[in-house]
Amino acid sequence: MDRYDVLVIGGGPGGYVAAIRAAQLGLKTACVERWIGKDGKPALGGTCLNVGCIPSKALLESSEQYHRARHGFAAHGITVGEVGIDPAAMVARKDGIVRQFTGGIGGLFKKNGVTWLKGSGRLVGTGKVEVTDADGAVQPVSAEHIIIATGSRPTPLPMAPLDGVRIVDSAGALDFTDVPARLGIIGAGVIGLELGSVWARLGSSVTLLEAMPEFLPPADRAIAALAHKELTAQGLQIRLGARVTAAKVADEAVSVDFEDAKGAQQAAFDRLIVAVGRQPVTDGLGLDAVDIEPDERGFIPVDARFRTSAAGVYAIGDVVRGPMLAHRASEDGIAVAEGIAGQHCHVDYGTIPWIIYTWPEIAWVGRTEQALKAEGVPYTVGTFPFQANGRARAMEAAQGQVKLLAHAETDRVLGVHLIGPHASELIAEAVVAMEFCASAEDIARIVHAHPTLSEALHEAALAAHRRAIHI
Ligand code: FAD
Ligand code: NAD
């Protein structure tokens, strides 16, 4: 039986990063991963690389370029001929990027000496795992430390069963090779907004049916309100408080029954995406063999060092509490490996950035204004609109604003909320500032190059002290 110091089950951004870090620290490491890619070959990278972050961003980029060529160039005085779109080529490009990146993880494993055990891992006792490959062959392995990084999958909706063609989950929605004239999406969360944006830019009429009465509850209310205005102006029809009761495929269309404040409603779509959240993957994992009891939502309970209730078994990423984000899973992976190696083990969950890659992009870190109010924390607010930012105007992309929240007494930055161009990149400065416990004044006193989008954060910090220059 092969014996390892560390065995990781799951090769997504949590698991593969944990495996590489453990190997870097001199531990004999293997990673069990069962994913089969679109080309029928085993693939590393998990949800993120195969059907999540990377493919969705590839499609967002393609669709944004198309949309700009059709609607954005004229403002710059650029005339182009007829602009066309070949969705199959767009999807093929996306698949190429996915292949490169998943293959790249295999290369990183080789470089770092991590063994990839291709197949499904199942705990069978303390320090013992069985790996079953695609042909059903079973290989027993043992390890001193086992890290569970089995991730998540889309939450199914019983009243909208997937048929894989007309009714699909987020993975299916990355592979449409024609543009659906009418696209319905159940759930106006992160996936609904990102994938809704992709297909709306390509010409679909997109309707999002969202059960909650409020739009984007996790976001700061002011930013959510601006996002709602921008996205609806782009044509996304966002129906809040809509409770879907049935979805059926008939006559090459999907009919959806739902109820909202106006009563019972019906809508017909050419395709329907179900994007109502994700749930942890623990089935067939053998948790009972080591006496691990998932919580009521199916997550594996862990302590601050990612230790489960079973000695020598850890869990990280989407399968445990916390935001379901790739960068969060990877940081868990590094921390757990370092903890196993006897080093410090810590992830600061208070400074994990959230990004929604719509246009304009939405990004935030730290607490929202509504959270500070609810907690009774005294705060000041500084905002700055991209309308007054020279670079954003030059880019013809001056939508949105930066909102900075600082403690009213200590001036420490408590949250930064953005909607605007390249918010996904701009938020990094706010994360660094918060990690270093910066005050609004610290950001205000840092020289920001001109003309850059980052000046908007500088001005928001000045605005928190009522001394912004350009508004
Ligand atoms: P996963 O990536 O789900 O990986 C788990 C792996 O474990 C899988 O490969 C699975 O095959 C394997 N596995 C499970 N059980 C077993 C077993 N018993 N044996 C062997 N292998 C097993 N996050 C972001 O931060 N930014 C984004 O832009 C972003 N975009 C997204 C877009 C979409 C459409 C989706 C669906 C998700 C997106 N996410 C994004 C979320 C992100 O993909 C996840 O948070 C991240 O992948 C979680 O990493 P993980 O390693 O915990 O789990
Ligand atoms: P989500 O939690 O972001 O949104 C799901 C939405 O569906 C919510 O607004 C919820 O109220 C709604 N909903 C739930 N049940 C419903 C029902 N029966 N009818 C109508 N609406 C319903 O989840 P998601 O969009 O599926 O994405 C899953 C997770 O994947 C995200 O929370 C995030 O952690 C991750 N993700 C991240 C990114 C990113 O970082 N850019 C992108 C995509 C996904």
Side-chain angles (χ1 to χ4, degrees):
M1 188 192 301
D2 287 334
R3 184 167 175 80
Y4 297 93
D5 296 324
V6 175
L7 183 77
V8 186
I9 306 179
Y16 83 72
V17 169
I20 290 173
R21 187 69 191 119
Q24 284 174 348
L25 290 164
L27 298 163
K28 186 181 174 199
T29 306
C31 178
V32 191
E33 174 54 70
R34 65 185 176 194
W35 195 287
I36 302 295
K38 257 182 96 176
D39 55 7
K41 295 188 185 143
L44 290 162
T47 304
C48 169
L49 268 69
N50 289 283
V51 292
C53 324
I54 298 300
S56 61
K57 267 75 249 175
L59 298 186
L60 278 155
E61 183 62 29
S62 299
S63 60
E64 196 176 308
Q65 304 247 14
Y66 170 72
H67 193 263
R68 190 167 301 140
R70 286 192 67 200
H71 304 289
F73 282 3
H76 295 270
I78 303 171
T79 334
V80 285
E82 201 180 321
V83 179
I85 180 74
D86 176 352
M90 186 181 85
V91 167
R93 170 186 172 274
K94 176 266 292 179
D95 290 341
I97 294 169
V98 167
R99 256 195 315 278
Q100 269 174 358
F101 271 80
T102 53
I105 308 296
L108 292 174
F109 271 12
K110 279 201 188 99
K111 181 180 157 211
N112 288 282
V114 176
T115 304
W116 176 9
L117 302 172
K118 299 185 182 87
S120 237
R122 189 166 68 89
L123 295 149
V124 289
T126 303
K128 292 193 172 60
V129 170
E130 275 180 6
V131 180
T132 307
D133 73 12
D135 301 323
V138 178
Q139 180 191 353
V141 283
S142 70
E144 193 179 344
H145 305 278
I146 296 169
I147 302 171
I148 300 172
T150 48
S152 65
R153 61 164 71 96
T155 304
L157 210 51
M159 66 291 270
L162 309 184
D163 74 345
V165 181
R166 298 269 162 201
I167 307 183
V168 297
D169 60 15
S170 57
L174 299 168
D175 281 335
F176 294 162
T177 47
D178 54 17
V179 180
R182 300 164 303 171
L183 176 63
I185 303 179
I186 308 181
V190 191
I191 292 180
L193 295 176
E194 289 187 358
L195 295 182
S197 294
V198 166
W199 296 102
R201 291 167 189 167
L202 301 182
S204 295
S205 161
V206 176
T207 304
L208 296 115
L209 301 170
E210 167 57 51
M212 299 290 281
E214 209 176 23
F215 180 62
L216 269 185
D220 186 272
R221 288 302 77 210
I223 301 297
L226 284 172
H228 188 268
K229 195 166 147 223
E230 288 288 347
L231 295 171
T232 37
Q234 289 167 21
L236 293 186
Q237 296 153 62
I238 303 167
R239 310 280 297 257
L240 299 174
R243 214 171 53 81
V244 173
T245 50
K248 280 188 239 60
V249 178
D251 300 331
E252 304 203 343
V254 188
S255 82
V256 178
D257 296 334
F258 64 98
E259 285 165 13
D260 65 9
K262 293 189 196 129
Q265 314 262 356
Q266 212 171 38
F269 303 109
D270 300 296
R271 304 235 196 199
L272 180 70
I273 305 171
V274 180
V276 293
R278 296 177 63 80
Q279 56 185 210
V281 172
T282 58
D283 43 304
L285 192 56
L287 291 183
D288 42 352
V290 289
D291 287 331
I292 295 176
E293 182 80 35
D295 70 15
E296 63 289 350
R297 294 169 61 213
F299 292 99
I300 297 178
V302 286
D303 67 9
R305 295 177 69 86
F306 306 98
R307 290 177 296 208
T308 67
S309 56
V313 182
Y314 310 77
I316 57 166
D318 278 12
V319 79
V320 305
R321 80 286 182 269
M324 288 182 158
L325 296 172
H327 41 286
R328 189 299 282 240
S330 296
E331 290 308 316
D332 285 3
I334 289 170
V336 75
E338 293 182 347
I340 287 169
Q343 298 187 359
H344 193 61
C345 171
H346 175 71
V347 178
D348 185 354
Y349 286 100
T351 54
I352 292 179
W354 269 90
I355 296 154
I356 306 178
Y357 296 80
T358 46
W359 179 265
E361 291 178 341
I362 304 160
W364 69 88
V365 58
R367 281 175 283 175
T368 58
E369 186 170 356
Q370 64 267 22
L372 294 177
K373 264 195 192 131
E375 291 165 31
V377 178
Y379 62 90
T380 52
V381 185
T383 60
F384 190 80
F386 282 104
Q387 270 297 335
N389 174 274
R391 185 71 185 277
R393 292 294 287 269
M395 289 165 66
E396 202 62 42
Q399 300 97 332
Q401 68 167 40
V402 180
K403 174 173 174 179
L404 179 142
L405 298 158
H407 196 283
E409 287 144 19
T410 65
D411 198 34
R412 182 170 172 172
V413 178
L414 301 174
V416 175
H417 304 268
L418 287 125
I419 173 164
H422 301 300
S424 56
E425 303 294 339
L426 293 173
I427 198 68
E429 180 183 352
V431 177
V432 172
M434 287 186 63
E435 272 294 330
F436 283 80
C437 305
S439 61
E441 187 181 350
D442 288 328
I443 298 179
R445 291 195 181 277
I446 290 170
V447 180
H448 288 71
H450 176 74
T452 60
L453 297 172
S454 71
E455 286 173 292
L457 177 60
H458 184 228
E459 289 274 5
L462 287 166
H465 294 167
R466 308 289 161 258
R467 57 188 191 98
I469 302 294
H470 292 96
I471 39 165

